[in-house]
Amino acid sequence: MAMQIFVRVAESGSFSAAAAQLGISVSAVAKTIARLEDELGTRLLERSTRRLALNDDGREYYTRAVQILNDVEDAEASLRGGVRTPK
């Protein structure tokens, strides 16, 4: 979930827009991003009072996160779409 929230923040450019799109609070978004950055041991976003921007680590993580989320979506879609025969 943290990866999905990060991608939404990166794409929307703000915590509040990401929160609105995801149907969660701005506080939940901010806390999730803070925990993710703590776990990774690096900042992903440059924050100012007026905007958010990805830094170099954030751009790299974003690129990989989008690919991972797309792969998961493809895997789930392929399983849902096919008829599975018990083995």
Side-chain angles (χ1 to χ4, degrees):
M1 185 69 167
M3 189 180 289
Q4 293 168 318
I5 291 172
F6 170 76
V7 167
R8 197 59 64 100
V9 168
E11 291 175 349
S12 68
S14 79
F15 287 176
S16 59
Q21 291 169 13
L22 294 165
I24 60 177
S25 69
V26 175
S27 175
V29 170
K31 287 177 184 176
T32 299
I33 297 300
R35 276 193 307 269
L36 179 61
E37 289 176 328
D38 285 345
E39 288 172 12
L40 296 174
T42 188
R43 300 276 285 187
L44 301 171
L45 300 163
E46 296 299 325
R47 298 159 177 84
S48 74
T49 56
R50 297 198 179 257
R51 68 180 211 123
L52 292 174
L54 296 173
N55 60 23
D56 290 340
D57 288 340
R59 281 188 290 279
E60 181 178 344
Y61 187 79
Y62 172 78
T63 299
R64 291 179 181 215
V66 167
Q67 183 61 52
I68 290 166
L69 293 172
N70 286 336
D71 288 347
V72 168
E73 187 176 310
D74 289 346
E76 290 174 351
S78 71
L79 292 174
R80 276 190 226 106
V83 176
R84 300 191 64 192
T85 306
K87 294 184 180 181

